[in-house]
Amino acid sequence: MSKIVQWSSCLIVSILILSFESLLAAEPSAGWQAGVARVDTTPTNPVRMAGYASRTSPSQGVAHPLFAKALALGDAEGHKVAFVTCDIIGFRRSFTNRVAERLKVKHGLAREDLVLLASHNHAGPALSETTDSTGAKVPARAGFEYNVAYTKELEDKLVALVGEALAKMQPASLSYGIGRAHFALNRREPTAKGIKLGKNPAGPTDESVPILRVQNAGGKPLAIVFGYACHNTTLRPNMMKIAADFAGYAQDRIEADNPGALALYFTGCAGDADPHPFGTLEMAKDHGEELGAAVKFVLDHPTWLKTVSGPVRTAFIETTIRFGGPTDRASYEKLLNDSNSGRRQHARRMIEAIDQGRPIRTEYPFYSVHAFALGDQLTLVALSGEVVVDYAIRLQKELGGEGQTLWVAAYANDVLGYIPSLRVLKEGGYEAGEAFYGSTWPTPLAEGTESIVVNAAHEVVKRVRLR
């Protein structure tokens, strides 16, 4: 046989193998069912915007629409779960619990089978709650009347959205892969006076772009789920138009590349990473294009994707994280002369609360950790709060590995504030505690936080993995 014939034979075999693999990828496997839905969540009235305290006036028009999207999955045993994404800065526990309770009553969806994930959009509306994380009533803020109405409307939309996705379920197949993007930069810049918000090229980041592809029985894409660990903050305080930042433009690109499919974005452990460069709408578009191209690059190489079998298993726990203290009046009085205005203002608020007889928290007993195992190939861990990248790195090391792919998402269910690692707490800076002085929390978190969160992640993964 000549070399040309040999080469031709090898080529034909290779084409047949690739064709067979493509057929397998398109064929519904393991009894999966999937349904998707989307709803426009762009505010129709001027609202107060989230993310930057320096904004003191309502939004002025729309640069990019906002959406919420749902992916419902069911396995051969009839176990159904729902993933909901939204172009919002974050959900609080009280909001998520109301949505979850309504879906349980209406569709029988258990609490552990629903996750709400925020893109951490800083160019969208601030949700305005009338209850706190414990369910206690809180007064509405002056000037936030449209935000209160928007929050109630969003709750109704999400309940209807998940119902629509559940109603549209059809035979499907799942596969996953991992890409790379490079515009996230660690923002904890070391200086002679300590850590400041800036640029730290030597600092850790997570450049992975995890991808879950959902196809129908004909091999057409129904959903492309993707993630990235970067603050959704290309747009800064001078942006007064509603927009979805790079996460919205990335979804646009992916949906354009995959006609008929919905793109859903899961924010990773982005607490200490910012997009670079930042500041303009064009930059947000560029970052979205890079992220969308990273997804396309993986999807264009079918052999890089691995099939996901069933069943789906879920676990959800709430654990207690503690504040570092001290929380007595004398300690707050010492901060009244602090050079940092944020600390002074925070101390005044805490002293006022103490004098009024209001209890000062020493702990937060509702920190949630959520896990979804899709067969024994892929496990999603969804953490609440603004989690720094150290958690993703550590959990990948301890719970990931060959044949045990781990996807770590954050900003899930309850965005209560920053969740620093022990390293970050010891270094200080914005994520370590300075951000808390702009909130109603009594103090930064305690040094045991990382161990508590990691142990909870181990527990939920243990519950859902077959091996």
Side-chain angles (χ1 to χ4, degrees):
M1 184 181 294
S2 69
K3 290 184 178 180
I4 293 177
V5 174
Q6 287 178 330
W7 180 84
S8 299
S9 299
C10 291
L11 179 60
I12 292 169
V13 171
S14 298
I15 291 172
L16 287 172
I17 290 172
L18 286 174
S19 298
F20 181 66
E21 289 176 342
S22 298
L23 285 171
L24 284 179
E27 183 180 332
S29 65
W32 285 115
Q33 297 273 321
V36 295
R38 122 173 54 212
V39 63
D40 192 314
T41 59
T42 312
T44 54
N45 292 302
V47 291
R48 298 296 291 270
M49 298 173 73
Y52 301 109
S54 58
R55 289 186 181 128
T56 57
S57 59
S59 58
Q60 301 168 10
V62 177
H64 188 287
L66 308 183
F67 294 97
K69 301 172 184 178
L71 167 64
L73 292 178
D75 62 21
E77 299 171 4
H79 185 185
K80 297 177 182 178
V81 300
F83 304 91
V84 177
T85 62
C86 193
D87 295 322
I88 203 77
I89 195 165
F91 300 105
R92 288 310 313 269
R93 179 177 181 268
S94 53
F95 180 97
T96 301
N97 281 355
R98 291 196 303 271
V99 173
E101 183 58 31
R102 290 175 64 179
L103 287 171
K104 181 179 179 180
V105 171
K106 195 167 185 178
H107 298 288
L109 201 65
R111 177 63 194 89
E112 62 269 21
D113 296 334
L114 170 73
V115 60
L116 270 55
L117 300 124
S119 71
H120 202 47
N121 178 26
H122 284 52
L127 295 188
S128 189
E129 286 287 341
T130 54
T131 59
D132 64 15
S133 59
T134 66
K137 294 286 185 181
V138 295
R141 297 167 64 185
F144 280 71
E145 291 79 11
Y146 282 136
N147 294 72
V148 171
Y150 178 87
T151 303
K152 293 178 180 177
E153 181 182 353
L154 182 63
E155 179 186 329
D156 292 339
K157 284 184 175 182
L158 296 190
V159 172
L161 177 74
V162 173
E164 182 182 350
L166 289 168
K168 290 181 175 179
M169 294 180 77
Q170 58 181 287
S173 63
L174 277 60
S175 55
Y176 71 93
I178 300 175
R180 288 286 184 273
H182 311 289
F183 61 85
L185 187 68
N186 190 289
R187 68 185 195 180
R188 292 176 50 77
E189 182 176 335
T191 73
K193 295 183 179 181
I195 302 293
K196 74 170 187 177
L197 288 177
K199 300 178 182 179
N200 182 12
T205 55
D206 180 2
E207 294 188 334
S208 66
V209 181
I211 302 159
L212 177 68
R213 182 180 67 178
V214 182
Q215 297 172 285
N216 66 15
K220 298 293 184 181
L222 286 173
I224 308 294
V225 185
F226 68 109
Y228 191 52
C230 184
H231 250 75
N232 200 17
T233 52
T234 317
L235 306 175
R236 295 288 155 150
N238 62 332
M239 181 59 172
M240 294 303 297
K241 290 186 177 182
I242 295 295
D245 214 297
F246 72 77
Y249 289 111
Q251 291 171 75
D252 292 346
R253 163 68 191 271
I254 293 166
E255 290 176 359
D257 289 340
N258 299 273
L262 286 190
L264 295 88
Y265 177 70
F266 290 7
T267 311
C269 294
D272 49 351
D274 271 349
H276 281 270
F278 58 76
T280 70
L281 206 59
E282 285 303 315
M283 291 172 182
K285 292 178 182 177
D286 289 344
H287 295 325
E289 281 293 313
E290 179 181 337
L291 198 47
V295 172
K296 184 177 188 300
F297 188 66
V298 173
L299 297 183
D300 283 347
H301 294 78
T303 57
W304 294 359
L305 297 169
K306 298 181 180 179
T307 300
V308 179
S309 63
V312 59
R313 295 173 303 280
T314 59
F316 175 87
I317 62 175
E318 290 184 327
T319 189
T320 299
I321 54 177
R322 295 174 176 81
F323 297 104
T327 57
D328 58 283
R329 196 181 196 281
S331 297
Y332 290 123
E333 287 177 343
K334 293 178 182 178
L335 293 174
L336 293 175
N337 297 317
D338 195 279
S339 60
N340 184 299
S341 62
R343 291 191 179 205
R344 294 196 304 271
Q345 293 169 11
H346 178 266
R348 292 190 193 102
R349 292 197 299 273
M350 292 299 104
I351 290 171
E352 180 182 356
I354 291 171
D355 291 347
Q356 292 176 354
R358 287 183 278 149
I360 303 298
R361 289 179 180 270
T362 59
E363 60 186 29
Y364 186 73
F366 308 114
Y367 184 81
S368 64
V369 181
H370 213 155
F372 293 78
L374 305 180
D376 59 359
Q377 297 93 9
L378 178 62
T379 303
L380 170 73
V381 171
L383 304 173
S384 62
E386 299 197 50
V387 185
V388 299
V389 72
D390 289 354
Y391 286 88
I393 294 170
R394 180 174 173 181
L395 291 174
Q396 289 287 359
K397 181 179 179 181
E398 296 179 5
L399 295 171
E402 187 66 29
Q404 296 274 348
T405 299
L406 186 73
W407 183 335
V408 185
Y411 303 86
N413 296 314
D414 181 19
V415 180
L416 65 155
Y418 284 93
I419 307 299
S421 63
L422 179 59
R423 175 187 66 85
V424 167
L425 275 170
K426 288 183 174 181
E427 289 178 353
Y430 187 74
E431 301 87 358
E434 292 304 317
F436 278 86
Y437 292 112
S439 74
T440 57
W441 295 134
T443 72
L445 292 170
E447 290 189 356
T449 301
E450 180 178 338
S451 293
I452 293 169
V453 173
V454 169
N455 288 342
H458 274 263
E459 175 60 28
V460 291
V461 170
K462 180 182 177 181
R463 294 183 190 180
V464 300
R465 277 187 173 165
L466 290 174
R467 55 184 175 86

